[in-house]
């Protein structure tokens, strides 16, 4: 019996090795694999106007790149203003919220309203700061879109509409529920495009983005950083409307209004210069320009005819051209007087008698006694 023990041990080890090998094969097969899209992504229609829905991630992890995402999304709205494209905005985290209804972005006032709604999207935290792709995609379907643009930086960490707060980030239902919502959009004819911010650095992140969109990198989905987000979104607009990126309208970013500012500055400087000139003239005693009332315009009486107006009569106080004297310049006082000139009275002449000086001689020069 003792001699047979090694044989039993050897047989047991053999069966144990076979069992372990089976587990190595079965465990990967039983483990949940990344979900895959079951419905093909519809092709771009290649013409505009269209209906666009922007799905923007508001989860807590978006805090460092929130401003860049807002700016890129607003620039995309500007890029679509060339025709009467409609744009709606949905923000999502643990739940989804419609921030802007479908709006014609070719109208400047309406376009500004959509951009203001994007800029007002805040970051949600704690229980509200999860990532629920399913909720965002399901709400997008209610807007009957042609193109859905999903911008996110994280893995779906919750699912359900409303959100199932008992779900955990590693729950495979988080992605499978999102794929189901995306498939319903595709079946309705909408193209779903994903833009993942840094998802290529997260395990399984790119695979999950492919699952809700399609397999073509740079067409169905993009993986990029915040600094390359705008080119990716402009590429989506270019393919949607079948126009080159260079032909799309440029972004209209808020900043200093250069033209109104220049006009206002020039007007202010002109007013200051005019006021300075008037003040200097007043101090120097010069005349100050005054405004005078404009003369009233007298309208002609249509009942008066030209034949009814008598010709002008010469005035009796004015002499005719034949009666006007001819003035001949002369410096001589004895010149002839003009006819009709009044006589100037002559002054009486005083005669002054001048005695001659006494003669000078010897007798005259001798001294008198």
């Amino acid at each position: 019996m003792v001699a047979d023990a090694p044989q039993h041990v050897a047989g047991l080890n053999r069966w144990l090795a076979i069992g372990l090998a089976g587990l190595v094969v079965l465990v990967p097969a039983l483990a949940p694999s990344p979900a895959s899209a079951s419905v093909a992504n519809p092709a771009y229609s290649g013409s505009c106007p269209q209906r666009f829905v922007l799905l923007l991630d508001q989860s807590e992890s978006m805090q460092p790149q929130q401003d860049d995402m807002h700016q890129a999304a607003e620039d995309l709205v500007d890029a679509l203003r060339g025709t009467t494209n409609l744009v709606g905005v949905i923000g999502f985290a643990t739940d989804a919220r419609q921030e802007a209804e479908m709006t014609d972005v070719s109208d400047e006032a309406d376009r500004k309203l959509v951009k203001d709604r994007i800029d007002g999207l805040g970051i949600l935290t704690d229980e509200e700061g999860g990532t629920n792709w399913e909720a965002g995609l399901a709400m997008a379907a209610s807007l009957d879109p042609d193109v859905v643009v999903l911008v996110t930086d994280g893995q779906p960490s919750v699912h359900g509409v409303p959100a199932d707060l008992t779900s955990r980030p590693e729950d495979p239902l988080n992605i499978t529920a999102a794929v189901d919502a995306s498939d319903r959009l595709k079946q309705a004819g909408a193209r779903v495009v994903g833009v993942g911010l840094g998802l290529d650095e997260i395990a399984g992140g790119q695979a999950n983005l492919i699952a809700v969109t399609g397999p073509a990198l740079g067409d169905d989905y993009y993986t990029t950083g915040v600094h390359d987000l705008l080119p990716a979104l402009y590429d989506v607009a270019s393919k949607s409307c079948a126009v080159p990126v260079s032909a799309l309208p440029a972004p209209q970013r808020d900043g200093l209004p250069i033209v109104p500012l220049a006009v206002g500055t020039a007007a202010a400087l002109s007013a200051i210069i005019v006021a300075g000139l008037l003040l200097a003239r007043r101090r120097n005693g010069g005349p100050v320009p005054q405004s005078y009332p404009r003369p009233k315009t007298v309208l002609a009486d249509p009942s008066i005819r030209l034949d009814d107006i008598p010709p002008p009569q010469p005035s009796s106080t004015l002499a005719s051209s034949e009666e006007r004297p001819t003035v001949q310049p002369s410096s001589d006082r004895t010149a002839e007087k003009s006819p009709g000139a009044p006589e100037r009275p002559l002054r009486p002449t005083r005669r002054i008698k001048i005695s001659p000086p006494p003669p000078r001689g010897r007798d005259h020069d001798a001294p008198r006694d």
Side-chain angles (χ1 to χ4, degrees), residues 16-286:
L16 183 60
I18 294 174
L20 291 174
L23 288 175
V24 171
V25 174
L26 290 176
V27 168
L30 295 175
S33 59
S36 59
S38 59
V39 177
N41 208 6
Y44 286 107
S45 66
S47 63
C48 282
Q50 295 192 55
R51 299 170 64 88
F52 294 83
V53 172
L54 305 183
L55 291 181
L56 304 180
D57 194 343
Q58 293 180 265
S59 62
E60 190 170 359
S61 59
M62 283 292 296
Q63 179 69 53
Q65 45 208 2
Q66 176 191 23
D67 293 339
D68 294 310
M69 182 190 69
H70 287 176
Q71 187 63 71
E74 293 172 24
D75 291 345
L76 175 60
V77 173
D78 286 335
L80 296 173
R81 72 179 187 271
T83 56
T84 56
N85 291 304
L86 302 182
V87 177
V89 179
I90 294 175
F92 71 92
T94 300
D95 291 295
R97 301 170 183 81
Q98 180 176 328
E99 301 295 337
E101 61 185 4
M102 302 301 286
T103 305
D104 181 3
V105 295
S106 65
D107 181 82
E108 184 175 359
D110 291 341
R111 182 171 65 254
K112 185 179 184 303
L113 176 62
V114 173
K115 294 168 66 174
D116 289 343
R117 296 293 176 85
I118 293 174
D119 193 58
L121 290 174
I123 295 297
L124 302 178
T125 59
D126 300 330
E127 287 187 352
E128 296 181 345
T131 305
N132 191 343
W133 288 5
E134 177 192 7
L137 291 166
M139 182 168 286
S142 65
L143 299 180
D144 190 24
D146 298 311
V147 179
V148 177
V149 183
L150 169 65
V151 182
T152 182
D153 76 329
Q155 295 279 55
S157 59
V158 65
H159 66 277
V161 182
D164 181 5
L165 298 180
T166 63
S167 59
R168 302 183 63 82
E170 62 273 12
D171 191 340
L173 288 177
N174 297 335
I175 183 62
T176 55
V179 171
D180 291 341
S182 178
D183 285 348
R184 288 192 292 271
L185 276 167
K186 296 174 186 176
Q187 288 172 346
R191 180 172 180 81
V192 181
V193 181
V195 181
L197 301 177
L199 285 188
D200 52 347
E201 301 176 359
I202 301 175
Q206 186 170 340
N208 288 334
L209 198 59
I210 291 173
V212 296
T213 58
L217 176 63
D219 193 54
D220 292 319
Y221 74 98
Y222 301 80
T223 56
T224 180
V226 291
H227 299 296
D228 298 324
L229 176 58
L230 181 58
L233 295 180
Y234 256 69
D235 190 54
V236 173
S238 172
K239 292 176 179 177
S240 299
C241 300
V243 297
V245 171
S246 58
L248 292 172
Q252 290 181 323
R253 298 187 177 182
D254 294 336
L256 287 176
I258 302 299
V259 174
L261 182 63
V263 173
T265 302
L269 289 176
S270 301
I272 293 173
I273 292 173
V274 171
L277 292 175
L278 293 177
L279 182 60
R281 182 175 294 183
R282 179 172 296 177
R283 287 180 177 177
N284 295 333

